Amino acid sequence: MKQPTAYVAGTGRGIPAKILTNHDFAALGVETDDEWIVSRTGIRERHIASAAESTCSMAAVAARQAMARANVAAGELDVIVLSTATPDRLLPATAVDLQAELGASRAAAFDIGAACAGFIFATSVAEGLIATGVGETILVVGSERMSSIIDWTDRSTCVLFGDGAGAAVLKRSIRSHALRPKGVLATYMRSDGTLADLLYRPAGGTTIPFSQAVLDDRSYLVKMAGREVFKHAVRSMSDATDRALDAAKLTGADIDLLIPHQANMRIIEATAKHANVSMDKVYVNVDRYGNTSSASVAIAMDEAIERGQIKDGSTVMLVAFGAGFTWASMIVRF
Ligand SMILES: CC(C)(COP(=O)(O)OP(=O)(O)OC[C@H]1O[C@@H](n2cnc3c(N)ncnc32)[C@H](O)[C@@H]1OP(=O)(O)O)[C@@H](O)C(=O)NCCC(=O)NCCS
């Protein structure tokens, strides 16, 4: 196994206070019910940003908590990598707004777009930057205001998503002769752009700008072929767990906690089964957050640490998939 080059020094999350339960959809005129949503997805409620809460502001709350726990001041950050599918503005990157908000004046800051797999992609990029000596202390954030890009008249998508942010500070590992050194043990990333139209926003970019979008067809909002996405999700998450375990020369039995992307309980269960990890070693919060896209794995990791489900020495596997398609996995020892 390779000597880890980077480790997770601290984590945090920024969650809007407002909760929308499955029962609240009736008042919004959405024809659905709690039983349908829970049986198909496992989701019971999700957090929704207020008008005052942005992708940047939620990211800042998560980042400050992660930096405090890592004992890192804003001026010590070399790089900020922010993953989002819901940037506050199309230009510039939300990462520079976050940089300004934190006062991280030395940092290079940029966004990554890899949808729901984005936090693992961003963490892999950060690890690579540390390995090549570009930086020693890197802030990685996944932040999403999904409520602003979902179609609240489409019951097959609007019940699935929620808002929030999660963050981690990655630091360069100190060379160690420990038998079980802490840090990132393996990473794996893949994409398949031939599947792009299964989950996308047709308008709002440069091919169909907002000014030319047919506003009535709500083409600037998320469109999803749910069943197809489901099939590919199970396949790609399973593939990703295999690859990370192989790279780290581990098996499912070595994993103390599996943190899958929180999109759907049935996808989580299928992934855990494939990876041979029992459900008591799987972190689940999809019931309380819904799908927070690239924030999901980061929020779950932060909660798991807070609840003592990740301790010093724990071997944790992260795995996610998202629009693109993108999929990725990572094994981290704490
Ligand atoms: C979206 C998803 C929950 C739908 O479940 P499903 O069992 O595949 O359901 P279908 O889409 O086949 O729809 C079945 C019926 O439920 C209805 N339905 C859809 N959404 C509904 C809702 N919120 N409430 C009640 N009924 C609903 C459909 O209209 C359809 O009715 P019909 O048979 O009369 O046409 C499921 O496909 C899924 O989870 N896919 C993956 C999505 C995902 O994770 N995306 C994020 C990727 S990062």
Side-chain angles (χ1 to χ4, degrees), residues 55-56 58 82-90 94-95 111-119 122 141-150 161-165 199-201 203-205 210 220-222 261 291-296 321-324 326:
T55 296
C56 178
M58 292 185 288
L82 186 140
S83 161
T84 190
T86 53
D88 290 331
R89 299 177 288 189
L90 293 182
T94 302
D111 287 1
I112 275 193
C116 301
F119 182 76
V141 187
S143 185
E144 305 283 7
R145 199 177 192 284
M146 295 302 289
S147 59
S148 55
I149 65 162
I150 56 178
F161 296 97
D163 299 334
L199 177 49
Y200 75 133
R201 293 173 70 194
F210 282 115
Y220 50 95
L221 298 170
V222 169
H261 172 44
N291 181 346
T292 57
S293 189
S294 74
S296 131
F321 73 96
T326 55

Side-chain angles (χ1 to χ4, degrees), residues 32 36 40 116 155-156 199 224 226-227 261 263-264 291 321:
T32 187
W36 192 96
R40 297 298 207 289
C116 301
R155 67 178 181 173
S156 67
L199 177 49
M224 183 179 72
R227 285 217 165 158
H261 172 44
N264 179 307
N291 181 346
F321 73 96

Side-chain angles (χ1 to χ4, degrees), residues 226-303:
R227 285 217 165 158
E228 286 304 302
V229 169
F230 190 99
K231 275 188 267 172
H232 287 289
V234 172
R235 206 174 298 154
S236 56
M237 297 264 277
S238 298
D239 167 58
T241 57
D242 288 347
R243 302 303 182 108
L245 288 170
D246 286 351
K249 298 192 170 50
L250 298 174
T251 70
D254 299 309
I255 298 301
D256 297 310
L257 192 69
L258 173 65
I259 302 185
H261 172 44
Q262 308 285 316
N264 179 307
M265 194 57 200
R266 291 182 293 152
I267 297 173
I268 292 172
E269 285 168 350
T271 305
K273 191 170 178 215
H274 177 89
N276 212 12
V277 176
S278 57
M279 280 308 289
D280 59 318
K281 290 182 172 181
V282 180
Y283 196 80
V284 176
N285 64 11
V286 68
D287 51 327
R288 292 179 287 118
Y289 289 101
N291 181 346
T292 57
S293 189
S294 74
S296 131
V297 164
I299 293 170
M301 183 164 70
D302 183 55
E303 279 195 349

